[in-house]
Amino acid sequence: MKKLYIIILALTMSLVSCDQWLDIEPEFVQDAENFFNTEEDFQRAVIGVYDLMQTNYLQVWIGEIASDNSIAGGESVNDTQGLHEIDGMRHGGVNNELRDVMRFNYAGIARANFIFENENKIDFPSKERLMAEISFIRAYFYFTLVNYFGDVPLIVDRRASINEVFQINRTPKAQVYEQIERDLDRAIRVLNWTNPEVGRITKGAAMALKGKVLLYQQKFAEAAQVLDELITTNQAGYALVADMRSMWLVANQNSSEDVFTIQHSGLQGGDYGCLVCLQGNPAPGFHGIRNYVGPFYGDGNSYNLPTQNLYDFFGNDPRREVTILDLDAFIAAQPNPSEISYMIGGGGHTGYYNNKYIKRDFERGLPDDDLTSPLNYRAIRYADVLLMAAEAFAQIGNDARARTELNKVRQRAGVPDITSSGNQLLEDIYRERRLELSGEGYRFWDLVRTGKAAEAISGFQVGKHELFPIPQVEIDLAGGRWSQNPGY
């Protein structure tokens, strides 16, 4: 059993998970030498790769809190201290949340590489599809790592031995991007537009992620081509759902708007000591209202609180109420406001809560229900696809097509069409991304890649904060051969 846990680098050896990587009975009977002998073995191993995507709560937290959209919140400034450091742009090489980003994503890569290492051991009908799925997931993990840390060690299709740890260097991010694109191309080539098993990776998800990867590299013409094919071919039937107000309810997920969604279940409990162990989504509980007693919502931990800046940015746009819960206004509108109560956490309070990923009273998972929300994470939804396409087309001078895709999103929101062109059109697209996608974990990356972070984020230093620091413990585990990112 332990041989199945061999990990890509020493930095991932510290990962402790109460989930089994592979559900094998009895223990100690199977190891790396006699596993991967049946289709079922591969199926079970692939599920283990999917499992590590459920650490997406870190994406929602850091992508919002590092930006101008949210503050860290929580019980106190020492409650999940790493998020408060990121909130104030004070983070350094010792930060638990950033270390989790690195080790969780590398653990997922290790699981994928272990399967690739055994890819040719046997043949069976579903093998190409399964390998294409984990190609996508490995690309997603590496894309996350490149966004956070820049140059990162790149190992594919094999496990790294312990002896290699002190010899492995950080790989230039351009080469990591090349591997990401190769993995996504394999997924696009092999996968179907739909899969009867909800949550499996599809061709559309792979095309959407490739479009995003190309956009982040400023390969605008290539991004436009991929996203155009996705939008015009669209054999999966992607479409914007009509009612934005109810779109974020559990009952309405896995809809036509969901292109790449990470699934969660409210049926498995867990504890605060091992968030990676959960099958539920901990973000809604952490975003919940502290000690709340009242209708509709559930009590929670008051993290990731939207800012006044974000609230004011919306103006009269109807998406404000979809995105942000103005708690005092909500309470005042109830028939019994004097009977509703809540507490303010010592980690900061704005009066606002993330209304997309929040605990609702009728969507509770198993105890502790702070940790087991069944609310999925929409990693890429169709509105994002349309806005990425609009941006890519605007960047290559096709303003008419850019306006077409942009205005599809605005028409669904019930706001007037955009008629601008040139640089103003591009600014309108950036503005639309904040209106449409706030609360979903994209904002920091949008500000960084468009060069707008310094003007929007207090304390942001150009040349430093575009990347997060490599966790110091991982530098130490690598024998000190990795240089730290500039400024840290």
Side-chain angles (χ1 to χ4, degrees):
M1 187 71 169
K2 291 181 179 178
K3 291 182 182 179
L4 289 174
Y5 296 159
I6 297 172
I7 302 183
I8 193 170
L9 295 169
L11 58 87
T12 63
M13 293 177 69
S14 59
L15 175 63
V16 178
S17 173
C18 50
D19 282 339
Q20 294 294 333
W21 279 31
L22 301 171
D23 184 15
I24 299 172
E25 295 292 344
E27 289 187 302
F28 310 116
V29 172
Q30 291 180 297
D31 60 20
E33 303 307 318
N34 58 26
F35 199 67
F36 296 109
N37 289 324
T38 68
E39 180 175 358
E40 183 184 9
D41 289 345
F42 277 86
Q43 290 277 9
R44 293 155 76 190
V46 167
I47 290 171
V49 182
Y50 272 91
D51 182 62
L52 260 296
M53 289 199 296
Q54 291 183 330
T55 59
N56 53 75
Y57 61 90
L58 289 166
Q59 299 296 95
V60 179
W61 291 349
I62 296 174
E64 296 295 311
I65 291 169
S67 78
D68 52 348
N69 273 3
S70 295
I71 67 169
E75 183 177 10
S76 73
V77 295
N78 297 316
D79 185 17
T80 317
Q81 185 175 349
L83 294 179
H84 286 275
E85 293 169 353
I86 292 170
D87 186 6
M89 292 287 117
R90 303 186 308 273
H91 50 276
V94 180
N95 184 292
N96 288 336
E97 280 61 52
L98 295 177
R99 190 187 182 198
D100 282 348
V101 170
M102 178 164 276
R103 62 183 184 154
F104 292 165
N105 281 279
Y106 267 117
I109 290 166
R111 297 183 186 189
N113 280 342
F114 189 28
I115 302 173
F116 280 114
E117 187 177 327
N118 291 275
E119 179 178 2
N120 296 321
K121 194 171 182 181
I122 64 169
D123 285 317
F124 52 90
S126 65
K127 187 173 78 169
E128 281 301 306
R129 176 180 61 81
L130 292 177
M131 303 310 294
E133 289 177 19
I134 63 171
S135 292
F136 171 97
I137 300 172
R138 182 171 65 182
Y140 177 69
F141 290 143
Y142 269 125
F143 182 53
T144 300
L145 290 167
V146 165
N147 284 331
Y148 274 85
F149 305 113
D151 300 346
V152 292
L154 175 66
I155 296 179
V156 294
D157 298 348
R158 65 181 183 84
R159 293 164 292 173
S161 71
I162 295 299
N163 293 332
E164 287 182 85
V165 169
F166 300 108
Q167 302 172 0
I168 295 174
N169 295 316
R170 295 172 66 185
T171 305
K173 66 178 183 180
Q175 295 180 30
V176 181
Y177 269 122
E178 289 174 1
Q179 179 60 46
I180 291 169
E181 290 183 37
R182 282 193 294 270
D183 276 343
L184 292 175
D185 285 342
R186 180 176 185 176
I188 292 168
R189 184 174 63 253
V190 172
L191 296 176
N192 294 323
W193 284 95
T194 60
N195 191 306
E197 187 173 354
V198 175
R200 291 278 186 177
I201 303 302
T202 62
K203 181 189 293 288
M207 294 176 71
L209 183 56
K210 185 174 182 183
K212 187 172 188 177
V213 166
L214 293 169
L215 194 68
Y216 274 47
Q217 296 177 83
Q218 299 187 351
K219 295 181 178 180
F220 300 120
E222 294 177 58
Q225 182 178 0
V226 171
L227 294 167
D228 172 60
E229 183 180 355
L230 172 58
I231 292 167
T232 57
T233 306
N234 194 9
Q235 294 183 27
Y238 300 124
L240 300 174
V241 301
D243 186 2
M244 291 188 66
R245 292 171 299 177
S246 63
M247 179 171 65
W248 295 94
L249 300 179
V250 170
N252 296 326
Q253 56 193 15
N254 296 315
S255 69
S256 63
E257 191 155 340
D258 294 321
V259 179
F260 167 34
T261 301
I262 298 172
Q263 305 291 309
H264 287 282
S265 169
L267 301 179
Q268 177 183 334
D271 61 63
Y272 285 89
C274 189
L275 297 186
V276 71
C277 305
L278 305 173
Q279 299 302 316
N281 186 349
F286 273 77
H287 296 168
I289 307 161
R290 184 169 295 273
N291 288 7
Y292 177 76
V293 178
F296 196 79
Y297 295 101
D299 67 305
N301 298 313
S302 63
Y303 278 81
N304 195 9
L305 304 175
T307 61
Q308 187 70 48
N309 174 283
L310 178 60
Y311 184 85
D312 293 342
F313 178 81
F314 279 94
N316 294 323
D317 193 294
R319 285 169 289 190
R320 183 171 67 183
E321 292 184 3
V322 175
T323 306
I324 301 172
L325 167 64
D326 181 343
L327 182 57
D328 288 340
F330 172 79
I331 291 174
Q334 303 308 305
N336 56 338
S338 63
E339 299 176 16
I340 302 172
S341 61
Y342 69 96
M343 289 185 62
I344 295 173
H349 181 67
T350 64
Y352 305 122
Y353 295 80
N354 185 325
N355 208 26
K356 291 179 176 177
Y357 294 104
I358 192 169
K359 188 202 292 186
R360 301 178 181 89
D361 189 54
F362 51 91
E363 294 177 342
R364 294 175 182 266
L366 294 174
D368 184 334
D369 62 13
D370 280 352
L371 305 176
T372 53
S373 171
L375 190 62
N376 294 337
Y377 176 57
R378 289 180 161 109
I380 302 179
R381 56 188 177 92
Y382 194 55
D384 191 10
V385 169
L386 296 176
L387 292 176
M388 288 192 293
E391 181 178 343
F393 281 114
Q395 289 282 7
I396 63 174
N398 190 341
D399 288 357
R401 180 64 187 280
R403 285 191 295 268
T404 295
E405 305 309 333
L406 168 63
N407 287 327
K408 288 177 184 177
V409 177
R410 292 183 61 80
Q411 288 161 11
R412 190 269 297 273
V415 294
D417 283 358
I418 292 293
T419 60
S420 57
S421 59
N423 289 335
Q424 184 57 52
L425 175 57
L426 198 56
E427 292 297 321
D428 288 338
I429 293 168
Y430 295 152
R431 185 176 184 275
E432 193 69 20
R433 287 190 64 82
R434 194 182 190 195
L435 291 169
E436 178 68 27
L437 303 173
S438 283
E440 300 177 45
Y442 309 139
R443 176 64 173 169
F444 178 76
W445 316 112
D446 279 350
L447 289 171
V448 167
R449 67 183 182 81
T450 58
K452 296 181 176 296
E455 65 187 66
I457 303 172
S458 178
F460 186 96
Q461 297 178 35
V462 175
K464 175 182 179 180
H465 288 129
E466 291 86 354
L467 296 175
F468 290 99
I470 301 292
Q472 185 60 45
V473 65
E474 314 303 354
I475 295 176
D476 295 341
L477 287 169
R481 66 183 295 119
W482 299 350
S483 61
Q484 183 55 275
N485 281 330
Y488 293 102

